[in-house]
Amino acid sequence: MFRQNHLWLLVASLALAGCLGEESKKVAVGPAQPPTIAEESPETPDPSQPNANTNSPQNETPFPEVEIDTSPVDFGDIPPAPEAYSGQDQDPDTPIPPEVQRTLKSYSDEDIPEQIKLLQYPQANVRVQAIGRFTYIGEEYVPQVVQALRGALKDPNVHVRRAAANAISHHGPKAKDALPELAALIHSKDTDEVDAVMNALARIGPDAAPLVGQLAGLLKQQEYENKGDVIDTLGWIGRGAKPTAPLLVASLDDWLHNDNAGDALARIGAHDELLRAMSHEKSSVRSTAAESAGLLETHSPEMVTRLIKMATTDEYEYARAYAAHTLGKVRPTTKEITLAIGQATKDEDSDVRRGAARGLGETDPKFDEAVPLLLAIAKDEDKWVRESAAAALGTFEASPESRLTVLLDQLQETANFSYSAPAAALKKSCDEFYPLLQAIAEDAEQDEARRGIALLSVMELMENSEFNTDERGEGES
């Protein structure tokens, strides 16, 4: 298949000849570690710097607030939960009987009824272990497991309750009957327990909308420690949490939670609120709004106009960078959008140029005017700009030879064939790049280091599960 024996002989000959030279030190065959988050993303603004987020009274957001009913919810339609364990716990070091250990270690769904009974075992660590079994189970057992976990959410031991909330999160909307018990725990003093509860509510999603009022009440409490979790949960509840938009807008001015608030506003469909935030006097609020707008399903002409202005003229570099990237997600892409992002590729700030490259890579439909702009910044002085430009070029239908040249330049520099953006672009267009790579690898007149990089790329494509040679009808199995 694809003359594999011939290719392996070529690998050996290139290696023996030392054809990769000094560049061979950079080539990573097989899985490589991805770049760190700090390098992959623009830096978070320093709150100590001018225009950064602060919580000072003089910088409070001018957006109005609305009244939200925060009273407890009546869950009358949900059947009652089973009783929780209420006895005296044994010492955690008490030996566990062999038959109980066998039940705890079983991964057979047929033993689930026996494992549920262990939720009444007089030893908290046994109950926690039993709950750990209730995550990946057969669909037919989910209802009885969720019912059992509802009882465990009322357990007197915080570790048991936390484990139950974590298990509930694995079942998403199918665990919505646990809402009454989860609601009772949102005021817990244990921040880890609240974190587990909020994660469970977020996984339940829109069905957790009855708790929006109580969650909004938590945001109003100045000393509440899990505000970020609450904000994220409101976002995953979606449009049912739209009444909380004013509270989320206010959180855009909180440097601890502004990113959470921006994403939540997008997920609940608060288009107009994000548009207004793009004109906020504080640069950090504007940049957060521009970034989060990329999660919106639709963008009004007014928002597109505002994003174009931000990408090209905003005084804050992160606002320009995020606006340029988000413009690439607007559908459909227009030539005006492409040219605006293109202007940002010439920005003096490298983060803006990188955001513009990523934005051009996400445009749809594609415009040829973007290709020379990307080819230009593919030689940028900043390596992350170069990588983003190479990845973006991989999405265009321009000359595959010109795009492959840029991608190989980046692969030769990063030597990351598993996690880098150029590698992903190479795999995405493997059908058109494969014969070109093979030709380079077999061309004795090519630079030896280039041949080595091309050959390693060929091998990586052959191992890629999406590159099914049998379906392409090439070679023999």
Side-chain angles (χ1 to χ4, degrees), residues 26 39-40 45 78 129 139 299 426:
K26 298 182 180 180
E39 292 180 317
E40 277 290 300
I78 297 179
Q129 290 182 60
E139 292 294 320
H299 304 80
L426 199 67

Side-chain angles (χ1 to χ4, degrees), residues 304 307-309 311-312 324 327 334-346 356 360 373:
V304 172
L307 286 168
I308 289 175
K309 183 176 181 181
T312 55
L327 277 171
T334 63
K335 184 170 291 189
E336 180 187 17
I337 288 175
T338 299
L339 295 177
I341 304 175
Q343 184 176 338
T345 65
K346 304 173 184 178
L360 287 173
L373 297 169

Side-chain angles (χ1 to χ4, degrees), residues 336-398:
E336 180 187 17
I337 288 175
T338 299
L339 295 177
I341 304 175
Q343 184 176 338
T345 65
K346 304 173 184 178
D347 196 280
E348 62 183 13
D349 187 90
S350 62
D351 287 312
V352 180
R353 298 195 300 274
R354 184 181 181 218
R358 297 171 70 186
L360 287 173
E362 299 205 44
T363 55
D364 185 22
K366 306 291 185 183
F367 286 88
D368 292 341
E369 285 82 356
V371 174
L373 297 169
L374 288 169
L375 287 171
I377 59 172
K379 300 177 182 179
D380 195 274
E381 61 183 14
D382 184 280
K383 68 174 183 177
W384 297 116
V385 175
R386 295 195 298 271
E387 179 173 309
S388 297
L393 276 168
T395 68
F396 279 78
E397 295 181 358

Side-chain angles (χ1 to χ4, degrees), residues 50 87 124 139 163 174 201 227 247 254 257 279 350 397 404 457:
E139 292 294 320
K174 297 175 183 177
L201 291 174
K227 285 188 177 181
L247 293 174
D254 178 352
H257 306 122
S279 298
S350 62
E397 295 181 358
L404 182 59
S457 299

Side-chain angles (χ1 to χ4, degrees), residues 61-64 249 252 270-281 285-286 289 303 306:
T61 178
F63 296 104
V249 167
L252 288 174
H271 175 285
D272 292 347
E273 287 80 359
L274 284 173
L275 176 57
R276 293 175 60 194
M278 290 179 191
S279 298
H280 198 278
E281 62 181 359
V285 175
R286 297 196 305 273
M303 179 171 283
R306 181 60 197 166

Side-chain angles (χ1 to χ4, degrees), residues 116-451:
I116 288 176
K117 292 179 182 178
L118 292 180
L119 297 183
Q120 296 294 326
Y121 193 86
Q123 202 163 322
N125 57 326
V126 170
R127 300 198 295 279
V128 169
Q129 290 182 60
I131 289 171
R133 173 65 184 87
F134 299 149
T135 52
Y136 302 104
I137 59 176
E139 292 294 320
E140 67 272 23
Y141 290 95
V142 171
Q144 67 183 98
V145 163
V146 169
Q147 187 71 355
L149 289 172
R150 291 179 63 197
L153 287 170
K154 300 186 293 182
D155 195 282
N157 185 282
V158 65
H159 300 289
V160 177
R161 298 195 303 270
R162 191 190 309 158
N166 284 327
I168 284 287
S169 69
H170 283 268
H171 302 296
K174 297 175 183 177
K176 63 181 180 181
D177 280 357
L179 286 177
E181 292 71 39
L182 293 169
L185 297 177
I186 63 176
H187 296 282
S188 171
K189 299 299 182 183
D190 187 291
T191 56
D192 290 334
E193 181 176 22
V194 174
D195 180 71
V197 168
M198 293 300 166
N199 186 44
L201 291 174
R203 295 295 185 88
I204 291 173
D207 287 326
L211 295 182
V212 164
Q214 292 189 63
L215 295 173
L218 297 176
L219 287 183
K220 294 181 178 181
Q221 298 177 17
Q222 292 293 328
E223 302 303 320
Y224 191 73
E225 296 186 21
N226 289 76
K227 285 188 177 181
D229 295 326
V230 173
I231 292 171
D232 288 340
T233 299
L234 289 170
W236 289 113
I237 289 174
R239 296 187 182 277
K242 186 70 177 291
T244 66
L247 293 174
L248 295 175
V249 167
S251 297
L252 288 174
D253 204 15
D254 178 352
W255 70 271
L256 285 174
H257 306 122
N258 60 346
D259 287 339
N260 310 70
D263 289 354
L265 282 166
R267 290 191 175 102
I268 68 175
H271 175 285
D272 292 347
E273 287 80 359
L274 284 173
L275 176 57
R276 293 175 60 194
M278 290 179 191
S279 298
H280 198 278
E281 62 181 359
K282 291 185 63 176
S283 57
S284 55
V285 175
R286 297 196 305 273
S287 63
T288 299
E291 179 185 22
S292 299
L295 297 175
L296 290 170
E297 296 178 359
T298 59
H299 304 80
S300 67
E302 293 80 10
M303 179 171 283
V304 172
T305 298
R306 181 60 197 166
L307 286 168
I308 289 175
K309 183 176 181 181
M310 290 182 70
T312 55
T313 65
D314 197 283
E315 64 182 2
Y316 188 43
E317 62 270 23
Y318 290 114
R320 300 197 302 276
Y322 288 135
H325 188 192
T326 293
L327 277 171
K329 301 177 182 180
V330 174
R331 294 294 180 268
T333 300
T334 63
K335 184 170 291 189
E336 180 187 17
I337 288 175
T338 299
L339 295 177
I341 304 175
Q343 184 176 338
T345 65
K346 304 173 184 178
D347 196 280
E348 62 183 13
D349 187 90
S350 62
D351 287 312
V352 180
R353 298 195 300 274
R354 184 181 181 218
R358 297 171 70 186
L360 287 173
E362 299 205 44
T363 55
D364 185 22
K366 306 291 185 183
F367 286 88
D368 292 341
E369 285 82 356
V371 174
L373 297 169
L374 288 169
L375 287 171
I377 59 172
K379 300 177 182 179
D380 195 274
E381 61 183 14
D382 184 280
K383 68 174 183 177
W384 297 116
V385 175
R386 295 195 298 271
E387 179 173 309
S388 297
L393 276 168
T395 68
F396 279 78
E397 295 181 358
S399 164
E401 288 83 4
S402 62
R403 288 185 285 127
L404 182 59
T405 296
V406 174
L407 290 172
L408 288 179
D409 286 343
Q410 283 303 298
L411 286 173
Q412 197 162 334
E413 178 179 355
T414 64
N416 187 338
F417 289 85
S418 298
Y419 298 103
S420 67
L426 199 67
K427 294 173 183 178
K428 187 174 181 180
S429 302
C430 59
D431 282 340
E432 59 179 343
F433 287 149
Y434 183 87
L436 297 175
L437 288 167
Q438 192 174 33
I440 294 172
E442 296 177 351
D443 185 356
E445 296 183 2
Q446 284 279 347
D447 174 80
E448 291 180 338
R450 196 64 155 189
R451 291 179 66 198

